[in-house]
Amino acid sequence: MTAAIAAGAWAPSAPLLDAGQKPRRWSSPGAETLRHPRLADIAHIPGKRGLPVVGVMPEVILDPLAFSERMTRRYGPVYRFHALGKWHLHLTGPEANEMLLFDPDSIFSAEGGWGPLVGPLFPGALLVRDGAEHRSGRRMLGEAFRQAELGGYQRIFAGDIDARVGAWAGREVDPYAEAKALTFRIAASTFR
């Protein structure tokens, strides 16, 4: 991928690897170097360092979408930025999303990207699984989202919502407590 980007030819039809080069998978020896690139490896990709240590994080926190739009306008659909002591690459646009999400050669890792953020909060979550483990989990969850199942959920939701909201008549309610109680009631009704 780096060669295609360096040549300024990044596009869906551009080769991601040089001729004869095999993709490095996350399970490959030395794959840990794929997680956070060194500046020397990505210096040819335009981008921004930002402030010492925190990098561009203040900009990202204030308005993540505006940050991404600004960076894309200034540097193009592939750019680098420094945040919290590490360099990151950002690919934008439909072609980049397709390449990353379909990942037919399994050269990207959800666990490597989302694991440090999501993993501690939701250990084993589908979002942080890779390869066959991810596909298996997705197939299992997919059963719950078939059209016939969704129609059944709607009936459960409507009944639970009507019952809960009907109990609010003539009394003061705490919206947070009511939303929480309703969420738990719906979950309990749905997964009986």
Side-chain angles (χ1 to χ4, degrees), residues 127-141:
L127 181 62
V128 295
R129 294 182 192 175
D130 288 324
E133 185 183 14
H134 175 81
R135 286 188 296 279
S136 172
R138 199 174 81 206
R139 271 193 300 275
M140 270 192 335
L141 280 177

Side-chain angles (χ1 to χ4, degrees), residues 6 8 15 40 48 56 63 68 75 83 96 99 154 164-165 167-168 179-180:
K48 181 175 183 178
V56 298
D63 191 341
S68 180
Y75 300 113
M99 179 182 69
Q154 193 276 331
R164 191 78 192 181
V165 171
W168 295 351
K180 184 177 174 183

Side-chain angles (χ1 to χ4, degrees), residues 72-115:
T72 301
R73 270 194 312 276
R74 183 167 183 182
Y75 300 113
V78 179
Y79 58 85
R80 64 183 161 89
F81 61 89
H82 197 258
L84 303 177
K86 297 182 178 173
W87 282 100
H88 304 265
L89 292 178
H90 196 159
L91 285 72
T92 59
E95 296 88 0
N97 280 290
E98 181 180 355
M99 179 182 69
L100 290 166
L101 295 174
F102 286 107
D103 190 20
D105 296 320
S106 298
I107 58 174
F108 299 106
S109 169
E111 190 283 324
W114 289 108

